[in-house]
Amino acid sequence: SSLDTMEHRLRGPTADISRLLQTFISQCAVPDGPVREMLQRIQQFKPRSLSAWAKLKYMGQQGSNGGVDCGYTMLPPFENPALPLTVEAAEILLPNNDDAAVLLKHTAGDTSEDWQLTDVGCSLIPTEDPESRISVAPQTRMSIVATLFFLKVLGFTIPEDLAVKDILQSKADQYWVQVHMGPDYLTRLAICLQNPADVVDETPGNSSAPITRAEQLCKRLSKQFRTEELGRVAAALNCGFNVVEYVACKTGFDVAIGFDPASAPQSTQQALGN
């Protein structure tokens, strides 16, 4: 909601994206250890496609020169059938810390049938404290509720009941949970909704006008929804935002949105193209 962080992702064949990342890292003049590890993982899991991502951070924050992260995500399907990307496989890809152990127990333990690991990756910058990330898709919406209360085990504040209700009633096409894990602890957990339905604004004086699910969640958190700025981004991309993330981090909760033309409803693409 503060618009101080932006992440851009580029998906393509594994050979093309890995070559792009190797070139980028070499031009940044940083150690290539994470790149060598990436190539080893690619050889092990043999994903047919990769997603390269670059994140700009702390933009516009007073007293900050900003920051940048860059990394990759391995995407299914995989050519090596002996090494499917399962939750158990994530154990060798996540850092060895207490938060990762709790996460794996939650998703790969007695309730593992409720989850499916959909992708996994790691940052290449910074090189000293890499951040791993995985995405897991729940088989039922109630697994999302378990995820929210799982935050309490890791020392996070539990979201208010209204926010939980908003997420469960979002009528999204897809739900998934994305986890970012630093060397020592969980840094970010996001509940992601693809193409969630709009909702009636229940704020007094607003005549029950329809608003997006992202705007509703911002209202729950008393955060500003940047309608004008996001409208300019949508016009530039010729695509409305169609991914909404309810984000938990050590500083509290926030809302993030994503623009994915490949999964946007056709009606949305046509409306913005007029």
Short mmCIF file of all heavy atoms in Angstrom, two decimals, residues 65-111:
data_model
loop_
_atom_site.label_atom_id
_atom_site.label_comp_id
_atom_site.label_asym_id
_atom_site.label_seq_id
_atom_site.Cartn_x
_atom_site.Cartn_y
_atom_site.Cartn_z
N ASN A 65 18.73 5.22 0.21
CA ASN A 65 19.14 5.24 -1.20
C ASN A 65 18.49 4.12 -2.01
O ASN A 65 18.81 3.93 -3.18
CB ASN A 65 20.67 5.11 -1.29
CG ASN A 65 21.39 6.32 -0.73
OD1 ASN A 65 20.91 7.44 -0.86
ND2 ASN A 65 22.51 6.08 -0.07
N GLY A 66 17.58 3.39 -1.36
CA GLY A 66 16.92 2.30 -2.05
C GLY A 66 17.76 1.03 -2.01
O GLY A 66 18.88 1.01 -1.51
N GLY A 67 17.20 -0.03 -2.54
CA GLY A 67 17.91 -1.30 -2.57
C GLY A 67 17.39 -2.15 -3.71
O GLY A 67 16.36 -1.85 -4.31
N VAL A 68 18.10 -3.21 -4.00
CA VAL A 68 17.69 -4.09 -5.09
C VAL A 68 17.99 -5.54 -4.72
O VAL A 68 19.02 -5.83 -4.08
CB VAL A 68 18.40 -3.71 -6.41
CG1 VAL A 68 19.91 -3.87 -6.28
CG2 VAL A 68 17.89 -4.55 -7.57
N ASP A 69 17.07 -6.43 -5.05
CA ASP A 69 17.28 -7.88 -4.96
C ASP A 69 17.06 -8.46 -6.35
O ASP A 69 16.34 -7.89 -7.17
CB ASP A 69 16.29 -8.52 -3.99
CG ASP A 69 16.64 -8.26 -2.53
OD1 ASP A 69 17.75 -7.77 -2.28
OD2 ASP A 69 15.79 -8.52 -1.67
N CYS A 70 17.66 -9.59 -6.59
CA CYS A 70 17.46 -10.29 -7.86
C CYS A 70 17.54 -11.77 -7.57
O CYS A 70 18.32 -12.21 -6.71
CB CYS A 70 18.52 -9.87 -8.87
SG CYS A 70 18.53 -10.83 -10.39
N GLY A 71 16.73 -12.57 -8.28
CA GLY A 71 16.77 -13.99 -8.05
C GLY A 71 16.02 -14.76 -9.11
O GLY A 71 15.69 -14.23 -10.17
N TYR A 72 15.71 -16.02 -8.80
CA TYR A 72 15.07 -16.90 -9.76
C TYR A 72 14.05 -17.77 -9.05
O TYR A 72 14.10 -17.98 -7.82
CB TYR A 72 16.11 -17.81 -10.44
CG TYR A 72 16.71 -18.81 -9.49
CD1 TYR A 72 16.22 -20.11 -9.40
CD2 TYR A 72 17.78 -18.46 -8.66
CE1 TYR A 72 16.76 -21.02 -8.52
CE2 TYR A 72 18.32 -19.36 -7.77
CZ TYR A 72 17.81 -20.64 -7.70
OH TYR A 72 18.34 -21.54 -6.81
N THR A 73 13.12 -18.29 -9.82
CA THR A 73 12.14 -19.26 -9.33
C THR A 73 12.05 -20.40 -10.33
O THR A 73 11.89 -20.15 -11.54
CB THR A 73 10.75 -18.62 -9.16
OG1 THR A 73 10.85 -17.49 -8.28
CG2 THR A 73 9.77 -19.62 -8.56
N MET A 74 12.16 -21.64 -9.86
CA MET A 74 11.99 -22.81 -10.72
C MET A 74 10.51 -23.15 -10.79
O MET A 74 9.83 -23.24 -9.77
CB MET A 74 12.78 -23.99 -10.17
CG MET A 74 14.28 -23.77 -10.15
SD MET A 74 15.21 -25.29 -9.74
CE MET A 74 14.65 -25.59 -8.05
N LEU A 75 10.04 -23.36 -12.02
CA LEU A 75 8.61 -23.58 -12.24
C LEU A 75 8.38 -24.97 -12.84
O LEU A 75 9.15 -25.45 -13.67
CB LEU A 75 8.06 -22.53 -13.20
CG LEU A 75 8.31 -21.07 -12.80
CD1 LEU A 75 7.95 -20.14 -13.94
CD2 LEU A 75 7.52 -20.72 -11.55
N PRO A 76 7.29 -25.63 -12.43
CA PRO A 76 6.96 -26.92 -13.02
C PRO A 76 6.42 -26.73 -14.43
O PRO A 76 6.02 -25.61 -14.79
CB PRO A 76 5.87 -27.46 -12.08
CG PRO A 76 5.25 -26.24 -11.48
CD PRO A 76 6.36 -25.23 -11.38
N PRO A 77 6.44 -27.79 -15.28
CA PRO A 77 6.80 -29.18 -14.97
C PRO A 77 8.30 -29.41 -14.99
O PRO A 77 9.05 -28.57 -15.49
CB PRO A 77 6.11 -29.97 -16.08
CG PRO A 77 6.11 -29.02 -17.24
CD PRO A 77 5.91 -27.66 -16.64
N PHE A 78 8.74 -30.56 -14.47
CA PHE A 78 10.14 -30.90 -14.37
C PHE A 78 10.44 -32.14 -15.19
O PHE A 78 9.65 -33.09 -15.21
CB PHE A 78 10.55 -31.10 -12.90
CG PHE A 78 10.38 -29.86 -12.08
CD1 PHE A 78 9.16 -29.57 -11.51
CD2 PHE A 78 11.43 -28.98 -11.91
CE1 PHE A 78 8.99 -28.41 -10.76
CE2 PHE A 78 11.27 -27.82 -11.17
CZ PHE A 78 10.05 -27.54 -10.60
N GLU A 79 11.57 -32.13 -15.85
CA GLU A 79 11.92 -33.24 -16.73
C GLU A 79 12.48 -34.43 -15.97
O GLU A 79 12.57 -35.53 -16.52
CB GLU A 79 12.93 -32.78 -17.78
CG GLU A 79 12.37 -31.74 -18.75
CD GLU A 79 13.37 -31.34 -19.81
OE1 GLU A 79 14.49 -31.90 -19.80
OE2 GLU A 79 13.05 -30.46 -20.62
N ASN A 80 12.89 -34.23 -14.72
CA ASN A 80 13.44 -35.32 -13.92
C ASN A 80 12.33 -35.88 -13.04
O ASN A 80 12.03 -35.33 -11.98
CB ASN A 80 14.60 -34.83 -13.06
CG ASN A 80 15.30 -35.97 -12.34
OD1 ASN A 80 14.80 -37.10 -12.33
ND2 ASN A 80 16.44 -35.69 -11.74
N PRO A 81 11.67 -36.97 -13.45
CA PRO A 81 10.54 -37.51 -12.67
C PRO A 81 10.95 -38.06 -11.32
O PRO A 81 10.12 -38.23 -10.44
CB PRO A 81 9.97 -38.61 -13.58
CG PRO A 81 11.15 -39.04 -14.41
CD PRO A 81 11.96 -37.80 -14.63
N ALA A 82 12.23 -38.35 -11.15
CA ALA A 82 12.69 -38.88 -9.87
C ALA A 82 12.81 -37.79 -8.81
O ALA A 82 12.94 -38.08 -7.64
CB ALA A 82 14.04 -39.56 -10.05
N LEU A 83 12.76 -36.53 -9.24
CA LEU A 83 12.87 -35.42 -8.30
C LEU A 83 11.73 -34.43 -8.51
O LEU A 83 11.93 -33.30 -8.92
CB LEU A 83 14.21 -34.70 -8.49
CG LEU A 83 15.45 -35.43 -7.96
CD1 LEU A 83 16.71 -34.74 -8.44
CD2 LEU A 83 15.42 -35.48 -6.44
N PRO A 84 10.50 -34.87 -8.25
CA PRO A 84 9.38 -33.93 -8.38
C PRO A 84 9.50 -32.84 -7.33
O PRO A 84 10.07 -33.04 -6.26
CB PRO A 84 8.16 -34.81 -8.14
CG PRO A 84 8.66 -35.90 -7.25
CD PRO A 84 10.07 -36.16 -7.71
N LEU A 85 8.95 -31.67 -7.63
CA LEU A 85 9.03 -30.56 -6.69
C LEU A 85 7.93 -30.73 -5.65
O LEU A 85 6.82 -30.23 -5.79
CB LEU A 85 8.89 -29.23 -7.42
CG LEU A 85 9.27 -28.00 -6.61
CD1 LEU A 85 10.69 -28.13 -6.08
CD2 LEU A 85 9.16 -26.75 -7.45
N THR A 86 8.24 -31.47 -4.62
CA THR A 86 7.29 -31.72 -3.55
C THR A 86 7.67 -30.86 -2.35
O THR A 86 8.74 -30.27 -2.28
CB THR A 86 7.33 -33.20 -3.12
OG1 THR A 86 8.65 -33.49 -2.63
CG2 THR A 86 7.02 -34.11 -4.29
N VAL A 87 6.76 -30.80 -1.38
CA VAL A 87 7.07 -30.06 -0.16
C VAL A 87 8.29 -30.65 0.53
O VAL A 87 9.13 -29.93 1.07
CB VAL A 87 5.85 -30.08 0.79
CG1 VAL A 87 6.20 -29.45 2.13
CG2 VAL A 87 4.69 -29.34 0.15
N GLU A 88 8.41 -31.97 0.48
CA GLU A 88 9.57 -32.61 1.09
C GLU A 88 10.86 -32.18 0.40
O GLU A 88 11.91 -32.01 1.04
CB GLU A 88 9.42 -34.13 1.03
CG GLU A 88 8.34 -34.72 1.93
CD GLU A 88 6.95 -34.61 1.32
OE1 GLU A 88 6.82 -34.06 0.21
OE2 GLU A 88 6.00 -35.06 1.98
N ALA A 89 10.79 -31.98 -0.93
CA ALA A 89 11.98 -31.56 -1.66
C ALA A 89 12.42 -30.16 -1.25
O ALA A 89 13.60 -29.82 -1.33
CB ALA A 89 11.72 -31.59 -3.17
N ALA A 90 11.47 -29.36 -0.79
CA ALA A 90 11.81 -28.00 -0.37
C ALA A 90 12.74 -27.99 0.83
O ALA A 90 13.43 -27.01 1.08
CB ALA A 90 10.54 -27.21 -0.04
N GLU A 91 12.76 -29.10 1.57
CA GLU A 91 13.60 -29.16 2.77
C GLU A 91 15.07 -28.95 2.42
O GLU A 91 15.82 -28.35 3.20
CB GLU A 91 13.41 -30.49 3.47
CG GLU A 91 14.16 -30.59 4.80
CD GLU A 91 13.80 -31.85 5.56
OE1 GLU A 91 13.04 -32.67 5.02
OE2 GLU A 91 14.27 -31.99 6.69
N ILE A 92 15.48 -29.42 1.25
CA ILE A 92 16.89 -29.25 0.87
C ILE A 92 17.13 -27.89 0.23
O ILE A 92 18.27 -27.52 -0.01
CB ILE A 92 17.34 -30.36 -0.09
CG1 ILE A 92 16.57 -30.27 -1.42
CG2 ILE A 92 17.16 -31.73 0.53
CD1 ILE A 92 17.07 -31.24 -2.48
N LEU A 93 16.06 -27.14 -0.02
CA LEU A 93 16.20 -25.84 -0.68
C LEU A 93 16.01 -24.67 0.28
O LEU A 93 16.36 -23.55 -0.05
CB LEU A 93 15.18 -25.73 -1.83
CG LEU A 93 15.30 -26.79 -2.92
CD1 LEU A 93 14.10 -26.73 -3.85
CD2 LEU A 93 16.58 -26.62 -3.70
N LEU A 94 15.47 -24.94 1.46
CA LEU A 94 15.26 -23.89 2.44
C LEU A 94 16.44 -23.84 3.41
O LEU A 94 17.12 -24.84 3.63
CB LEU A 94 13.97 -24.14 3.23
CG LEU A 94 12.66 -23.93 2.48
CD1 LEU A 94 11.48 -24.34 3.35
CD2 LEU A 94 12.51 -22.47 2.05
N PRO A 95 16.67 -22.65 4.00
CA PRO A 95 17.75 -22.55 4.99
C PRO A 95 17.45 -23.38 6.23
O PRO A 95 16.28 -23.68 6.52
CB PRO A 95 17.78 -21.05 5.31
CG PRO A 95 16.42 -20.55 4.95
CD PRO A 95 15.98 -21.37 3.78
N ASN A 96 18.47 -23.74 6.94
CA ASN A 96 18.33 -24.55 8.14
C ASN A 96 18.13 -23.64 9.34
O ASN A 96 19.08 -23.26 10.02
CB ASN A 96 19.56 -25.44 8.33
CG ASN A 96 19.43 -26.37 9.53
OD1 ASN A 96 18.34 -26.62 10.01
ND2 ASN A 96 20.56 -26.87 10.00
N ASN A 97 16.87 -23.25 9.60
CA ASN A 97 16.58 -22.44 10.77
C ASN A 97 15.25 -22.89 11.38
O ASN A 97 14.53 -23.72 10.82
CB ASN A 97 16.54 -20.93 10.42
CG ASN A 97 15.49 -20.57 9.40
OD1 ASN A 97 14.34 -20.98 9.49
ND2 ASN A 97 15.89 -19.79 8.40
N ASP A 98 14.92 -22.36 12.55
CA ASP A 98 13.74 -22.82 13.29
C ASP A 98 12.45 -22.53 12.53
O ASP A 98 11.53 -23.36 12.52
CB ASP A 98 13.69 -22.14 14.67
CG ASP A 98 14.81 -22.61 15.59
OD1 ASP A 98 15.39 -23.67 15.31
OD2 ASP A 98 15.09 -21.90 16.58
N ASP A 99 12.35 -21.36 11.90
CA ASP A 99 11.13 -21.01 11.17
C ASP A 99 10.90 -21.96 10.00
O ASP A 99 9.77 -22.38 9.72
CB ASP A 99 11.19 -19.57 10.66
CG ASP A 99 10.98 -18.55 11.78
OD1 ASP A 99 10.78 -18.98 12.93
OD2 ASP A 99 11.03 -17.34 11.50
N ALA A 100 11.98 -22.31 9.29
CA ALA A 100 11.85 -23.24 8.16
C ALA A 100 11.40 -24.61 8.66
O ALA A 100 10.58 -25.29 8.01
CB ALA A 100 13.17 -23.36 7.42
N ALA A 101 11.90 -25.03 9.82
CA ALA A 101 11.51 -26.33 10.37
C ALA A 101 10.03 -26.34 10.72
O ALA A 101 9.32 -27.34 10.46
CB ALA A 101 12.35 -26.64 11.62
N VAL A 102 9.54 -25.24 11.30
CA VAL A 102 8.11 -25.15 11.64
C VAL A 102 7.27 -25.15 10.37
O VAL A 102 6.23 -25.81 10.29
CB VAL A 102 7.84 -23.87 12.46
CG1 VAL A 102 6.34 -23.67 12.66
CG2 VAL A 102 8.53 -23.96 13.82
N LEU A 103 7.71 -24.43 9.35
CA LEU A 103 6.98 -24.38 8.08
C LEU A 103 6.88 -25.77 7.46
O LEU A 103 5.80 -26.19 7.03
CB LEU A 103 7.67 -23.43 7.12
CG LEU A 103 7.13 -23.43 5.68
CD1 LEU A 103 5.73 -22.83 5.65
CD2 LEU A 103 8.07 -22.67 4.75
N LEU A 104 7.98 -26.50 7.40
CA LEU A 104 7.97 -27.82 6.79
C LEU A 104 7.14 -28.81 7.60
O LEU A 104 6.47 -29.67 7.03
CB LEU A 104 9.41 -28.33 6.64
CG LEU A 104 10.21 -27.61 5.56
CD1 LEU A 104 11.69 -27.96 5.67
CD2 LEU A 104 9.70 -27.96 4.18
N LYS A 105 7.14 -28.66 8.91
CA LYS A 105 6.30 -29.51 9.74
C LYS A 105 4.84 -29.24 9.45
O LYS A 105 4.00 -30.15 9.42
CB LYS A 105 6.61 -29.27 11.22
CG LYS A 105 5.77 -30.14 12.15
CD LYS A 105 6.12 -29.88 13.61
CE LYS A 105 5.27 -30.73 14.55
NZ LYS A 105 5.60 -30.49 15.98
N HIS A 106 4.52 -27.96 9.19
CA HIS A 106 3.13 -27.56 8.93
C HIS A 106 2.65 -28.05 7.57
O HIS A 106 1.51 -28.49 7.41
CB HIS A 106 3.02 -26.04 9.00
CG HIS A 106 1.66 -25.51 8.68
ND1 HIS A 106 0.59 -25.63 9.55
CD2 HIS A 106 1.18 -24.85 7.60
CE1 HIS A 106 -0.48 -25.07 9.01
NE2 HIS A 106 -0.14 -24.59 7.83
N THR A 107 3.53 -28.00 6.56
CA THR A 107 3.11 -28.32 5.20
C THR A 107 3.48 -29.73 4.75
O THR A 107 2.89 -30.25 3.81
CB THR A 107 3.74 -27.32 4.20
OG1 THR A 107 5.16 -27.31 4.37
CG2 THR A 107 3.20 -25.94 4.42
N ALA A 108 4.45 -30.35 5.41
CA ALA A 108 4.90 -31.68 4.99
C ALA A 108 4.71 -32.73 6.07
O ALA A 108 5.20 -33.84 5.95
CB ALA A 108 6.37 -31.63 4.59
N GLY A 109 3.98 -32.37 7.12
CA GLY A 109 3.75 -33.32 8.19
C GLY A 109 2.44 -34.05 8.04
O GLY A 109 2.09 -34.54 6.97
N ASP A 110 1.67 -34.10 9.11
CA ASP A 110 0.42 -34.86 9.10
C ASP A 110 -0.60 -34.30 8.13
O ASP A 110 -1.52 -35.01 7.70
CB ASP A 110 -0.18 -34.89 10.52
CG ASP A 110 0.72 -35.63 11.50
OD1 ASP A 110 1.52 -36.46 11.03
OD2 ASP A 110 0.63 -35.36 12.71
N THR A 111 -0.48 -33.00 7.78
CA THR A 111 -1.47 -32.37 6.90
C THR A 111 -0.91 -32.13 5.51
O THR A 111 -1.40 -31.29 4.78
CB THR A 111 -1.94 -31.03 7.50
OG1 THR A 111 -0.81 -30.16 7.66
CG2 THR A 111 -2.60 -31.23 8.86
#
